[in-house]
Amino acid sequence: MVKVHLDTDLGGDIDDLCALAMLLKWPKTEITGITTVADDRGIRAGFTRYALKLAGKSDIPVKAGADVSLGRYRVRCGYQDKRYWPEAIEGADNLLDEALALLKESITEGAIIIGIGPFTNLYLLDKKYPGILRQAKLFLMGGYIYPPRSGYPQ
């Protein structure tokens, strides 16, 4: 059995939802937890919990991580239009420390940490528990690069 922990910004576009669906059906894979990043009052965690409920996997722990209110994001993150959800989605109201504790627990259990959003939760985790990421098996994917500022090579 392969253990994985998904750190995601699910809710901005469809790619993270597809990654979650793939992990849920991947043979011999156990999702130890899911943390959301670049959240806004826990709505990304709410979207994630809703998707897990549809898949019959509500037992997977989900915690809202780094929130946009921390001021760590250059732009406000987009969310899936609420018209795409069949009902109102409630945000998670947990504390950031709970998300970091879930990440730490997954690392302790030997889970592969899959980061498919901004890596703010991982930064905050390593800041709180210095050196913990050296113990972690990380699989990181990033996708958005801002255009160079005026005066820099294109």
Side-chain angles (χ1 to χ4, degrees), residues 37 65-67 70 72-73 96-97 100 103 119-130 132-133:
V37 63
D67 195 274
L70 293 173
R72 297 183 183 274
Y73 301 99
L96 172 61
D97 281 345
L100 299 180
L103 265 166
F119 305 136
T120 315
N121 286 340
L122 300 178
Y123 163 76
L124 294 172
L125 178 71
D126 201 61
K127 191 172 177 183
K128 183 170 182 165
Y129 305 103
I132 192 166
L133 293 180

Side-chain angles (χ1 to χ4, degrees), residues 13-14 16 63 73 78 88 116 122 138 144 154:
D13 44 37
I14 198 74
D16 294 61
K63 296 292 181 184
Y73 301 99
I116 56 174
L122 300 178
L138 299 173
Y144 190 81
Q154 296 298 311

Side-chain angles (χ1 to χ4, degrees), residues 147-154:
R149 293 188 175 118
S150 177
Y152 287 90
Q154 296 298 311

Side-chain angles (χ1 to χ4, degrees), residues 52-120:
L52 290 172
K53 179 180 163 193
L54 289 175
K57 300 288 187 171
S58 296
D59 58 327
I60 297 172
V62 177
K63 296 292 181 184
D67 195 274
V68 294
S69 65
L70 293 173
R72 297 183 183 274
Y73 301 99
R74 185 173 172 185
V75 295
R76 191 140 183 100
C77 302
Y79 301 100
Q80 289 178 358
D81 192 311
K82 292 180 181 179
R83 294 174 296 172
Y84 300 131
W85 298 90
E87 58 190 78
I89 305 295
E90 293 291 323
D93 60 357
N94 63 273
L95 300 172
L96 172 61
D97 281 345
E98 293 176 47
L100 299 180
L102 182 57
L103 265 166
K104 182 178 185 259
E105 183 180 331
S106 290
I107 290 170
T108 302
E109 291 179 19
I112 298 168
I113 308 301
I114 301 172
I116 56 174
F119 305 136
T120 315

Side-chain angles (χ1 to χ4, degrees), residues 5-11 33-49 62-67 73 92 94 96 99 102-103 118 120-121:
H5 178 111
L6 183 63
D7 189 61
T8 177
D9 62 346
L10 189 145
I34 301 173
T35 44
T36 56
V37 63
D39 220 318
D40 189 356
R41 296 177 305 272
I43 193 65
R44 291 185 191 278
F47 289 145
T48 303
R49 287 179 178 159
V62 177
K63 296 292 181 184
D67 195 274
Y73 301 99
N94 63 273
L96 172 61
L102 182 57
L103 265 166
T120 315
N121 286 340

